[in-house]
Amino acid sequence: MNVSDVWDWDFFWSMFRNFMATASPFVMIPVVVIVVGMLLTVIIRAVAGARK
């Protein structure tokens, strides 16, 4: 049974690309907040460790 004609992969990929183009700015905001928080934590710990 050949099911290759059942799935329209070009359509699926174009919908996935459209979803990612729409959602990626909203996903990047929390990611940037988390990364900046981690970076600040590392810097604060390094400064506090250097003072001891």
Side-chain angles (χ1 to χ4, degrees):
M1 181 175 177
N2 187 5
V3 294
S4 64
D5 295 335
V6 175
W7 303 104
D8 186 4
W9 293 111
D10 291 331
F11 173 74
F12 285 141
W13 280 116
S14 67
M15 287 293 102
F16 178 72
R17 190 178 330 123
N18 186 19
F19 171 74
M20 290 304 291
T22 304
S24 63
F26 301 108
V27 172
M28 286 302 293
I29 292 171
V31 168
V32 167
V33 169
I34 291 170
V35 168
V36 168
M38 290 171 58
L39 180 63
L40 286 174
T41 303
V42 168
I43 292 171
I44 290 170
R45 286 185 180 172
V47 170
R51 288 187 179 181
K52 288 183 180 181

